Amino acid sequence: MDIERYVRWLQDVRRYQASPVSRRLSVVVGFYRVCVIDAILEHSPADYVRRPTVPAESPTLGLGHLQFEALIPTARLSSNPNDFALVALLGLLGLRIFEACGSNIADLSEEHGHRVLRVRSKGGKVVLIPLPPAVARSIDRAVDDRPSGPILRNALGGRMDRHAATRLLKHLAQAAGIRMPRTHPHMLRHTFVTTMLDAGVSLRDVQIAAGHADPRTTMRYDRARKNLDRHPNYILAAYMASGT
């Protein structure tokens, strides 16, 4: 079946993990469901296609609290103002990388006494995100006196993209002495979620801040880290500490 071949192509050729494959398959299933409802098809060819099992834990691990604290001053003291702005947008606002890179100077405004950023999110939704003072200052530094254009720029002065952001974050992590097997922008969004939960923010408020439709998505971000923090290996090592 063509749909099953499409799923295998996503997994074997594009090397997508279970979660993005499942999301793309959901679009296909929804399309054929509408065709059945509108009597274009008698039945959906996607009804019996197996969906990949999405793990309860996110495969991405964010930064620990001390690592994040080390990254922030490293970015703030960088000679490139885009460094701190990128870390602030991803780690302190929790933006997705396409949201951060797609933000323009024209999206900045004031609402009811708050500095805000108008963000175009998933599904074309537009949301207003308030800017804490530190984030606002980082953006002002990156914008400088420019009247228009992207907030984040690459080394050539054009709009920063995902690849430039990944290179920048890798350099900052090395400068901050952070050892990670792989550094990428989504790591900071993950850090945003786990840090807010650590700070005592309610799950519902974190879900809203992260723009998650389902609270289970928010919990996936936190579960993998908790499993590491509470791993029984640490209990055994502490119990046997006297003999090791």
Side-chain angles (χ1 to χ4, degrees):
M1 184 185 291
D2 289 339
I3 300 176
E4 292 177 340
R5 284 199 292 268
Y6 171 63
V7 171
R8 288 198 298 271
W9 176 77
L10 290 173
Q11 295 172 324
D12 300 338
V13 179
R14 298 301 299 275
R15 301 292 183 182
Y16 284 166
Q17 298 297 320
S19 182
V21 172
S22 182
R23 288 197 300 269
R24 284 159 176 78
L25 185 56
S26 293
V27 175
V28 175
V29 171
F31 169 77
Y32 283 115
R33 184 180 297 122
V34 171
C35 289
V36 172
I37 293 172
D38 292 345
I40 298 172
L41 295 174
E42 291 185 3
H43 66 277
S44 169
D47 280 345
Y48 302 105
V49 177
R50 280 189 175 184
R51 297 196 183 197
T53 302
V54 178
E57 301 170 4
S58 171
T60 301
L61 286 179
L63 298 176
H65 186 70
L66 294 178
Q67 291 175 318
F68 194 29
E69 283 190 338
L71 183 66
I72 289 175
T74 300
R76 183 188 293 117
L77 297 175
S78 170
S79 59
N80 182 355
N82 292 284
D83 291 5
F84 188 34
L86 175 65
V87 170
L89 290 173
L90 298 180
L92 297 177
L93 293 189
L95 298 190
R96 300 172 178 88
I97 185 58
F98 80 87
E99 296 168 342
C101 292
S103 295
N104 296 310
I105 296 172
D107 298 323
L108 297 167
S109 63
E110 288 195 14
E111 293 285 342
H112 305 292
H114 296 274
R115 290 281 304 277
V116 297
L117 175 66
R118 190 179 301 272
V119 174
R120 294 160 187 80
S121 188
K122 275 187 174 181
K125 294 185 296 184
V126 177
V127 295
L128 288 180
I129 298 183
L131 303 178
V135 178
R137 288 194 297 269
S138 73
I139 291 175
D140 290 340
R141 282 186 58 204
V143 168
D144 198 14
D145 294 326
R146 290 182 292 127
S148 61
I151 292 176
L152 297 175
R153 294 185 294 174
N154 58 28
L156 300 177
R159 184 182 297 276
M160 184 181 294
D161 61 14
R162 178 188 301 270
H163 304 293
T166 301
R167 291 192 297 270
L168 189 153
L169 289 175
K170 183 177 181 180
H171 174 75
L172 286 175
Q174 291 174 344
I178 299 172
R179 297 180 179 179
M180 297 287 288
R182 181 169 171 259
T183 306
H184 52 89
H186 192 69
M187 179 181 66
L188 283 181
R189 177 169 162 81
H190 193 124
T191 303
F192 168 81
V193 171
T194 56
T195 303
M196 290 188 80
L197 291 172
D198 284 345
V201 181
S202 70
L203 175 63
R204 175 60 178 167
D205 287 342
V206 176
Q207 176 194 346
I208 293 172
H212 291 152
D214 191 321
R216 289 174 295 184
T217 304
T218 310
M219 290 307 299
R220 285 187 69 238
Y221 279 65
D222 195 44
R223 191 172 289 116
R225 183 202 48 156
K226 290 297 186 184
N227 284 350
L228 288 178
D229 289 345
R230 299 170 182 168
H231 200 283
N233 285 357
Y234 291 119
I235 300 175
L236 176 61
Y239 180 75
M240 299 298 297
S242 59
T244 57

